[in-house]
Amino acid sequence: MTDTGPHSSNVLDPLSLFRLDGQVAIVTGASSGLGERFARVLGAMGANVVVAARRLDRLEALAAELPGSLAVQADLSIAEDRERLVSETLERFGRVDVLVNNAGIGSAVRIEDETLEQFQFAMEVNVTALWHLSKLCGESMVAAGSGSIINVASMLGHVASAPVKQMHYCASKGAVINMTRELAAQWGRKGVRVNALSPGWFKSEMTGDMDTDESSQAFVKANALLPRMGNADELDGALLLLASRAGGYMTGHSLLVDGGWTAR
Ligand code: NAP
């Protein structure tokens, strides 16, 4: 067997595999938390980054720090905004190489108090928007015969959230993981890779004061094999692996970065 794949090279330069020079990446939910970090990391590796969310002031401040980037205000619960995000990206750059479906919502509520509207809204933002953006960006990726879609799921798409109760969140993240597999199956032969990045507990607006709250800390320490929350930079490597040629033979995977939470 001599065929080692489209990206094989005889030059030993492993770090260059992670570079994204000249590529165009969309990061949703880039106005805070993990998404903001993802945008910075992709930009640092040479990508032109399109940052999207509802809070335009934050997006513009971020874009001002990232050369060649574009800020697009979009409420991803609205189909027209999703379409405009992709059309503005294509108008400006003519292509999309990497899509990071990161925007997501969730909050603690027991099912007895959870409303149908809350459940449906979480599914719209966490699942339907991800489906729609993948479909819209996928058109250009399939035409180009290459692309990487990274769906930010959660370890809570793999396991129950106990003792925190959040059915809408767990349902949506479980869906994201199997949508990842299905899309990977549909587009593998078209050159598009689709993977999920599934974090454990990380500090962000979503997790609020968990990193200082004593009972939350005790809960994390008791359940994570690495007894602490993750630091945002501890997702950099996983993100880049999935985004770049370094992960060129990975698709349909959910990469857990959870301090060993799900290994117990
Ligand atoms: P975060 O700081 O609350 O970020 C959520 C992002 O999503 C924000 O930028 C928010 O921007 C955006 N967003 C929410 N609703 C939106 C909408 N309707 N339209 C457009 N954008 C919307 O939380 P995070 O922790 O960084 O979360 C990022 C992703 O990581 C989520 O998918 C989350 O489920 C996942 N995750 C987080 C953890 C964790 O421990 N932090 C663990 C596992 C998975 P705007 O408000 O400006 O619209």
Side-chain angles (χ1 to χ4, degrees), residues 90-257:
L90 292 175
E91 265 164 42
R92 167 79 175 266
F93 297 106
R95 55 193 267 196
V96 187
D97 302 289
V98 177
L99 168 64
V100 184
N101 279 312
N102 166 75
I105 54 171
S107 53
V109 57
R110 56 183 196 150
I111 190 166
E112 291 86 341
D113 300 323
E114 192 174 35
T115 65
L116 180 59
E117 290 71 27
Q118 187 174 16
F119 187 87
Q120 288 175 329
F121 190 66
M123 295 304 274
E124 187 68 25
V125 175
N126 294 4
V127 177
T128 308
L130 181 144
W131 170 85
H132 199 182
L133 288 175
S134 300
K135 185 174 158 70
L136 293 165
C137 292
E139 271 177 41
S140 122
M141 292 178 176
V142 166
S146 67
S148 171
I149 297 177
I150 299 165
N151 295 323
V152 180
S154 167
M155 67 176 179
L156 301 181
H158 286 269
V159 295
S161 174
V164 179
K165 298 170 178 61
Q166 37 183 356
M167 178 70 97
H168 58 283
Y169 189 76
C170 292
S172 69
K173 296 302 184 179
V176 166
I177 290 167
N178 216 30
M179 287 164 78
T180 298
R181 297 188 186 105
E182 172 61 14
L183 199 51
Q186 293 200 24
W187 284 350
R189 281 165 178 71
K190 298 181 177 178
V192 180
R193 297 185 300 108
V194 188
N195 291 287
L197 175 55
S198 295
W201 296 110
F202 282 76
K203 183 174 163 46
S204 71
E205 287 181 11
M206 182 178 277
T207 49
D209 61 2
M210 256 187 88
D211 66 317
T212 49
D213 175 64
E214 261 179 42
S215 68
S216 303
Q217 282 305 303
F219 153 69
V220 171
K221 281 184 183 155
N223 289 289
L225 301 186
L226 304 176
R228 59 175 174 81
M229 293 177 77
N231 299 314
D233 64 0
E234 290 173 308
L235 289 170
D236 295 358
L239 172 80
L240 287 175
L241 176 65
L242 298 180
S244 70
R245 287 197 307 142
Y249 198 50
M250 291 179 73
T251 199
H253 188 65
S254 172
L255 183 51
L256 284 152
V257 183

